[in-house]
Amino acid sequence: MASSSDANPSAGSTPEPSEAPESGSTAETPASSARRGRVRPRRAAVMAVPATVIAAGLMILTAQGALGVQFAISGMPFTVTATNLDGEGFAQFGGLDQMAEGSPNEGDTGGQVLVVVSAIKKATLEKLCQSVDLGGTNLLIRAGEGSQKVSATNLTTDSTELSGNASFDNIEIGNDASTLDKSHTRGPKGVFSQQADTVHIGNLRQTNYATTAAVFKLPGLKLSFSDKGC
């Protein structure tokens, strides 16, 4: 399930450059402006988070150099499914992931992927499946199919799609992402977010670009190649 951290938290138009750069600032090149201009807000679609609003704020913050990512993503999306996810300390806000310079996977995105960051302080998952299409075959990872569940602390995922049957306890919708206090991370100021004491998602399915966790335990781990993904 990548990701942004406290140190590097991660919605649509690029701000117009002024006639003359402010003193001490570095003028943008046409190439860098074009790269940001190719970010496609339609890539994000996640629970109750209006992607166009997030995109506008994120593009401004990116132009100001206020956002960073924890690592350069490969640009290859991967699928994550689970029968049930239960979490304590849930937060969600917009982010912007960046591929390595010159990545062959950047296409017409300029190497940027608009994502929704989901953060859970403590999470358990039943029958976890993760797959990535390697071109003709899928790398498949399964875990938590027996009596023991997959568990994670400080779990963070960067997703472009998320679906399932969700329920929350004490949810707050519309927070400023910089004020989040129920999970382990916060977003940038001025970005739409939501948080809850607990979250349950049945039949979870995600399209992710990155996942991080402080601790990730995978009982009954099985890795294989398959014609089909999750």
Side-chain angles (χ1 to χ4, degrees):
M1 288 169 57
S3 107
S4 304
S5 64
D6 280 337
N8 291 304
S10 341
S13 60
T14 305
E16 292 293 329
S18 57
E19 292 294 324
E22 293 181 3
S23 176
S25 65
T26 302
E28 289 187 304
T29 65
S32 65
S33 296
R35 171 163 291 186
R36 283 200 304 275
R38 290 198 296 270
V39 175
R40 295 183 294 179
R42 68 175 179 271
R43 285 178 167 264
V46 174
M47 305 180 301
V49 180
T52 54
V53 174
I54 294 172
L58 287 170
M59 292 311 299
I60 293 170
L61 289 166
T62 302
Q64 294 172 344
L67 294 182
V69 293
Q70 188 169 0
F71 54 80
I73 63 171
S74 70
M76 297 177 67
F78 55 97
T79 299
V80 173
T81 65
T83 302
N84 289 292
L85 177 150
D86 289 284
E88 299 178 12
F90 170 80
Q92 197 172 65
F93 53 89
L96 194 64
D97 285 355
Q98 180 70 52
M99 301 177 204
E101 185 72 23
S103 170
N105 299 319
E106 69 178 38
D108 61 353
T109 68
Q112 294 178 330
V113 180
L114 185 64
V115 297
V116 169
V117 179
S118 299
I120 303 176
K121 201 168 186 177
K122 295 180 180 179
T124 59
L125 302 98
E126 295 180 13
K127 296 184 179 179
L128 174 70
C129 179
Q130 177 178 300
S131 64
V132 57
D133 187 348
L134 301 177
T137 190
N138 292 272
L139 175 60
L140 197 64
I141 296 175
R142 294 185 180 275
E145 295 184 335
S147 59
Q148 290 183 294
K149 300 178 182 179
V150 171
S151 63
T153 58
N154 293 354
L155 176 67
T156 311
T157 62
D158 290 7
S159 310
T160 54
E161 294 183 19
L162 187 155
S163 64
N165 301 312
S167 61
F168 305 89
D169 286 335
N170 297 322
I171 190 168
E172 301 171 0
I173 301 174
N175 309 59
D176 187 292
S178 68
T179 67
L180 296 172
D181 58 6
K182 295 191 176 187
S183 192
H184 60 280
T185 190
R186 299 176 181 174
K189 185 175 290 187
V191 170
F192 182 99
S193 69
Q194 59 184 6
Q195 65 176 356
D197 288 345
T198 66
V199 57
H200 169 81
I201 304 177
N203 297 320
L204 171 70
R205 187 175 189 87
Q206 291 179 303
T207 299
N208 293 345
Y209 276 85
T211 298
T212 62
V215 178
F216 206 7
K217 296 182 179 180
L218 300 163
L221 174 66
K222 298 177 183 178
L223 187 151
S224 62
F225 291 97
S226 174
D227 292 338
K228 295 181 179 180
C230 298

